[in-house]
Amino acid sequence: MKKTKPESRIQVIDRAAHLLDAMSRYSLPVSLKELSADTNLSPSTAFRILHSLIDNHFVDKDDTGKYHLSGRLIRLSNNQNAGIDFRKVASPYLHKLRDKFCETVNLTTREGDVIIYIDKALPNRMMNVQQIIGSRAPLHVTGVGKMMLGREGKAGICGYAQRTNLPIYTRNTFSTVDTLINESISCFERGYAFDNEEAEVGVGCIGTLIYDKYGEVISVCQCRHRSKDVKMNGQSI
């Protein structure tokens, strides 16, 4: 008698799929009670799965405590960014920023626990700060990297710290979890971040995230400078 091959199903993924399907049937954010009833999951089980989906940016929770599908999930399902060359789109803006501030402007993207430099615009002067295209830097020593960590919240930052052990590059590197949490969340909430000689002595940067129309991060931009050259509110950065 031929043995039947067991189904390779994973219960928690099936339950997450049921919750996503249930949310998709509503035009407005939906309560935990309604989702629990629609999926035949206990409120406690539904709550745990929903918050894991929130941590992974597939679901959002509004101020009233109700849930809805996130922009990231919509973007992935519609594949809106297929075929778009972000470097080509961003290039004129990089050059405008370079001309305005006369500093090196970099375009970067995230890959795992590092950022990768994918394009740059250099000022027309003998002395400037630049990164090699394709080079990498840890998230916790760059302005935009700290913003990405801040977007993940405390749990995401702790996970990053555990994976990397927060290597120290200069005396200004954030090398403890608590200080990195405070700095990263503060940067994300502010909307921009500084690298205050955290990767290299004498070099700093100002960075921000670039979002698509669904509110998902698609790339990041940062202006690198020699610390003594740029001042904010009368103080060197």
Side-chain angles (χ1 to χ4, degrees):
M1 182 176 179
K2 185 177 179 180
K3 293 183 178 180
T4 58
K5 188 176 180 179
E7 292 187 30
S8 56
R9 302 184 69 92
I10 301 175
Q11 186 181 59
V12 69
I13 294 178
D14 289 341
R15 290 176 171 178
H18 292 328
L19 286 165
L20 293 173
D21 284 341
M23 271 181 280
S24 72
R25 293 193 289 269
Y26 289 85
S27 59
L28 295 174
V30 59
S31 70
L32 175 64
K33 182 178 180 180
E34 291 170 308
L35 289 172
S36 175
D38 285 353
T39 57
N40 291 320
L41 295 174
S42 69
S44 61
T45 298
F47 179 85
R48 289 196 302 272
I49 296 173
L50 285 167
H51 281 263
S52 180
L53 290 169
I54 289 173
D55 289 342
N56 286 282
H57 309 296
F58 291 120
V59 170
D60 288 329
K61 186 177 182 181
D62 67 15
D63 294 337
T64 67
K66 294 184 177 181
Y67 303 88
H68 58 93
L69 300 178
S70 74
R72 180 188 186 190
L73 189 62
I74 296 171
R75 178 173 62 83
L76 290 174
S77 65
N78 290 329
N79 200 21
Q80 290 291 317
N81 292 323
I84 296 177
D85 185 344
F86 294 116
R87 290 178 297 180
K88 185 176 181 180
V89 173
S91 181
Y93 299 98
L94 297 183
H95 286 82
K96 285 182 181 179
L97 287 170
R98 176 205 61 192
D99 294 342
K100 182 174 182 178
F101 296 106
C102 198
E103 296 289 348
T104 301
V105 181
N106 293 305
L107 184 69
T108 64
T109 189
R110 180 174 180 176
E111 183 176 286
D113 290 333
V114 301
I115 64 166
I116 302 176
Y117 292 83
I118 60 175
D119 203 357
K120 63 185 175 184
L122 299 176
N124 185 22
R125 66 184 191 192
M126 184 176 295
M127 299 293 293
N128 57 68
V129 180
Q130 61 174 295
Q131 292 290 139
I132 299 173
I133 299 300
S135 63
R136 302 173 179 230
L139 297 179
H140 70 292
V141 299
T142 66
V144 290
K146 289 183 296 184
M147 287 194 69
M148 289 180 172
L149 289 172
R151 190 170 187 268
E152 293 184 354
K154 184 176 180 180
I157 299 169
C158 288
Y160 170 83
Q162 186 176 19
R163 293 191 301 272
T164 64
N165 293 320
L166 302 181
I168 299 172
Y169 291 82
T170 74
R171 63 181 180 275
N172 292 339
T173 299
F174 288 91
S175 57
T176 66
V177 177
D178 289 340
T179 57
L180 183 61
I181 288 172
N182 292 336
E183 170 71 5
S184 298
I185 292 178
S186 175
C187 289
F188 178 68
E189 291 176 346
R190 187 172 58 210
Y192 61 91
F194 298 127
D195 161 14
N196 183 24
E197 302 184 52
E198 294 153 38
E200 183 179 351
V201 173
V203 177
C205 80
I206 305 169
T208 191
L209 304 179
I210 300 173
Y211 298 87
D212 65 12
K213 64 182 179 180
Y214 296 115
E216 289 300 309
V217 176
I218 56 174
S219 193
V220 291
C221 181
Q222 61 181 12
C223 177
R224 290 180 64 83
H225 54 79
R226 292 174 295 170
S227 295
K228 65 180 181 179
D229 289 343
V230 179
K231 294 180 180 293
M232 292 288 286
N233 298 324
Q235 295 184 345
S236 296
I237 58 173

